[in-house]
Structure formats: C-alpha cells, structure tokens
Amino acid sequence: MERVYLKDLGLQYNYSELENRNKTDMIVIHHTGNQTDDDLSAKEINASHQAQGWTCIGYHYVIRKDGTIEIGRPHWTIGAHAYGENSHTIGIHVCGNLEIGEPTSKQIESLAMLLANICTDYGLPIDTAHVVGHRDLMATACPGYNLYKILQTIRGKAVFYQHQ
C-alpha cells in the first residue's frame, strides 16, 4: 500500500494540554461549513480554534482543495471534533462548505488514501460503522451533503488503495 504524504505546518500549541487516545475505533469526516466554499489551512483553523479558547485545532488531519493533507492535532491524541465521541475517534476535515460546493477530485483521492492508511494502521474495517460522517453521530449538516452522498464511493476507493 502506498503511504500518503502528510504536510507538517509546525502548528504551535501546548502539547502538555493534550491527552493520549487509548482506543481508536472510528474515523469521523467533517467539512468547514462556513458561509463560503473556502480552503482554510490547518494553521488558519488552528488559529480560529485557539481564538475560541481551545488548546489547538480539533481535527487530526486537514485535506485542502488541492489534495494536500496537512497535520492538525497529533494523531495519537484525543481530538475536539465530535462532541461525546472524541475519546475514541480520529477527525478528518475536508476543506470547503460541501453543502454548497463539491469536494475536488484531489480531495476525494487524498481522503480515500488517508482512510486506507489510518484503517490499516489501526486495524479498522473500511465500512459504515468505522468511517462515518459527523452527521451520523449528531444533528449537523457536516460533512455537507455533497461529500456525505459520496462517502460510500470514497470507502470503496479506500479499500482499493488498501490492497495496492
């Protein structure tokens, strides 16, 4: 299986305020959901989350419109992306308001490859019980209709990449 390239932006935060995640059994997919179909970097999201009093960015990974995968919160720590579900999940943020915009083909491929890698690393099946949209866990439009409607296709691509 081909490993994905992760871009480290060197986000600044206090590591001692983060907790290790002891169990990983689910991956939660998100989108930005701002008024515009934006392409915010992990650094910009980190600054926004810190301005709200958070230790750092709530997501573990951010996938930009050009397909670049940026590192957010360290992957082994408890995230801050799905209320009540953070202690056992990894959060992936796909940039854009995917209620009004479409995920790019590069975002779709990067998400599928990242899912293949994470699921392999944690021994998770790539299915609807382990790879979910944020809306599957609570009342929200996230990860946006236009991404949510193709999650099964993305899961299928992830299975393909896992076997390469």
Side-chain angles (χ1 to χ4, degrees):
M1 179 177 63
E2 182 178 332
R3 300 300 292 182
V4 294
Y5 171 73
L6 304 175
K7 186 173 182 180
D8 188 349
L9 301 180
L11 302 181
Q12 299 297 307
Y13 47 85
N14 186 345
Y15 280 85
S16 68
E17 293 180 15
L18 300 175
E19 295 179 55
N20 289 345
R21 191 178 56 256
N22 295 319
K23 174 183 179 183
T24 304
D25 62 5
M26 187 181 292
I27 302 165
V28 184
I29 312 301
H30 302 268
H31 76 144
T32 308
N34 288 339
Q35 295 299 318
T36 59
D37 187 27
D38 51 29
D39 187 27
L40 300 175
S41 69
K43 192 173 217 170
E44 291 169 306
I45 297 168
N46 187 56
S48 171
H49 286 184
Q50 286 178 326
Q52 296 174 56
W54 299 13
T55 299
C56 65
I57 186 171
Y59 312 106
H60 298 92
Y61 301 98
V62 173
I63 302 178
R64 304 293 300 277
K65 291 199 177 275
D66 68 0
T68 301
I69 303 170
E70 297 175 346
I71 298 171
R73 188 175 284 236
H75 71 89
W76 61 87
T77 63
I78 295 174
H81 59 90
Y83 184 77
E85 305 290 344
N86 291 312
S87 66
H88 65 101
T89 62
I90 290 178
I92 301 175
H93 174 90
V94 180
C95 291
N97 181 335
L98 302 175
E99 281 287 309
I100 59 174
E102 298 284 340
T104 67
S105 59
K106 290 182 178 181
Q107 283 178 309
I108 291 167
E109 295 306 317
S110 289
L111 177 56
M113 286 187 275
L114 181 58
L115 289 170
N117 278 258
I118 294 170
C119 287
T120 297
D121 289 349
Y122 287 95
L124 302 177
I126 302 172
D127 60 21
T128 58
H130 297 90
V131 177
V132 302
H134 189 191
R135 68 172 61 184
D136 293 320
L137 302 176
M138 59 198 61
T140 177
C142 186
Y145 173 77
N146 294 320
L147 178 56
Y148 189 77
K149 72 181 181 184
I150 61 169
L151 273 186
Q152 189 56 36
T153 299
I154 293 169
R155 288 183 196 102
K157 287 176 174 285
V159 170
F160 171 81
Y161 285 125
Q162 193 177 48
H163 293 99
Q164 294 304 300

